[in-house]
Amino acid sequence: MKRILIVGGGYAGFYAAWKLEKRLRPREATLTIVDPRPYLTYQPFLPEVAAGSIEPRHAAVSLRRHLRRTRVVPGWVTKVDHAHRRVTVRPDPGPEFDLAYDVIVLTAGAVTRKFPVPGVTSQAIGMKHVEEAVAIRDRLLTSFDRGSVLPAGPLRQRLLTVTFVGGGFSGVEGFGETLSLAHSLLRRYPQLHRDELRFHLVEATRRILPEVGEPASRWVAQSFAERGGRVHLDTKVASTLDGHVVLSTGEEYDSGLIVWTTGNDANPVVRKDTDLPIGDRGQLVVRADLRVGTEAEPVADAWAAGDDAAVPDLTAGTPGRYVVQNAQNALRQGKLLARNIAASLRGRPTRPYLHHSLGAVATLGIGSGIFQYKRIVVKGLPAWLMHRGYHVLAVPTWERKIRVLAGWLTQAMFGRDIVSLESVEHPRRAFVAGGEPK
């Protein structure tokens, strides 16, 4: 039997394995997937996880539960030696070991792009994984608890100041959702006032949400301003040492929560630890049918999709354009991977990836959103409902759809759960201290 190895359990990797299980006969191939996390993170739900609108586990899809014929290997692939059909895996804990394969599928996903800004690695939180979104939510809730017993002053102001760096989808949605959560919390904290909240969204370019048109982008920025949020355009973060934010404009302030959402970098194993062809963008060179290589020089038994692959955009009409890296494309590429790999194993022709965008939709907080398809723009509550409708249909498995819908219904009836569980980051603290602070 052919040994198919999938590196990464994100959208593309999960869907490739899920659909291959259905397309391939049990004795036709073995499937193995390697990922440090035992679940797929449905990233479009992370802003709502950060705002307490979705239960964290409902944004995660278990690999072992839904991939029933696939061997799940927890660990990081640190090297790909395609010439010898072998990868090196680093588990946690334990020594590294090699895995052999016949066909490799690289869908390792991206990592958060970090810049050499002092203090970022020690102070900021990303928003690519469930645990990061949970930490953002708990940090904000804990800040309200602590601030409510402090007198007005610098320390209380620091706790009530939030900074998001990066004005793409993740930053804008996370900013809008946490701003919405903060305003709803004020009803439970009469000691705090709306004018004490300081929410900053810092973007290095001249506008936020480049995925939508400029008028829609301006409307989003204006809606944040009306809700008390500040959008800093053409501005970079110079330092975040000890939570003290210094902007390129010269403005300085203390921030109790800093969220870093400045885009993606290719996975390190793709950037520097593979013998497969890499393009100028640091991504794998991929043909339109998702096979690694070019039309003239395809690489046998190697496939890739998602954030690590420069997939030609056949809808652009001009050469040199690549498919946008987002969830909408990654999950569809995963399905096509399964079809094309099965076809290749059986000596049948493959299909190119061709997908016309369905538009861009973003949540800006409870009851507010933005949607754009070509020249059609929808704002406010209708766009927010479209966002929820689209993503509950897109999240994989009926089990997860039902759980998410049930959570939304519960929230609509009883409101958000505002209990912070930040203490779970230090589970032994209470045991060691004996119930008293040390």
Side-chain angles (χ1 to χ4, degrees), residues 250-293:
E251 184 174 350
E252 300 182 24
Y253 58 88
D254 290 331
S255 184
L257 174 60
I258 302 170
V259 185
W260 196 265
T261 62
T262 55
N264 297 327
D265 268 339
N267 195 285
V269 70
V270 170
R271 266 199 329 264
K272 56 185 180 180
D273 293 310
T274 176
D275 55 353
L276 294 169
I278 305 296
D280 296 336
R281 293 152 46 101
Q283 298 167 306
L284 291 161
V285 177
V286 175
R287 305 190 325 173
D289 65 354
L290 307 181
R291 190 191 300 272
V292 175

Side-chain angles (χ1 to χ4, degrees), residues 126-146:
M127 202 166 71
K128 288 188 69 66
H129 305 291
V130 172
E131 57 268 31
E132 293 174 322
V134 172
I136 292 168
R137 173 183 178 271
D138 286 345
R139 180 79 63 85
L140 184 62
L141 293 174
T142 300
S143 292
F144 269 72
D145 275 337
R146 293 173 177 171

Side-chain angles (χ1 to χ4, degrees), residues 164 170-179 199-201 224 229-230:
F164 274 74
S170 294
V172 167
E173 291 192 311
F175 184 79
E177 285 288 345
T178 52
L179 180 60
F199 271 70
H200 300 266
L201 175 61
F224 285 155
R230 283 192 62 190

Side-chain angles (χ1 to χ4, degrees), residues 298-378:
V299 178
D301 303 321
W303 305 78
D307 292 332
D308 295 322
V311 180
D313 187 355
L314 301 184
T315 68
T318 56
R321 299 284 297 274
Y322 298 97
V323 172
V324 176
Q325 295 165 340
N326 57 24
Q328 187 180 133
N329 284 309
L331 67 88
R332 286 172 173 79
Q333 289 170 12
K335 294 177 182 179
L336 183 65
L337 274 173
R339 185 202 178 281
N340 282 351
I341 292 170
S344 177
L345 293 178
R346 296 165 182 169
R348 297 174 183 170
T350 58
R351 290 182 183 175
Y353 181 71
L354 181 64
H355 172 63
H356 295 275
S357 174
L358 301 177
V361 63
T363 174
L364 307 176
I366 296 292
S368 180
I370 185 75
F371 167 80
Q372 181 166 351
Y373 175 70
K374 297 182 179 179
R375 295 186 179 182
I376 302 172
V377 178
V378 181

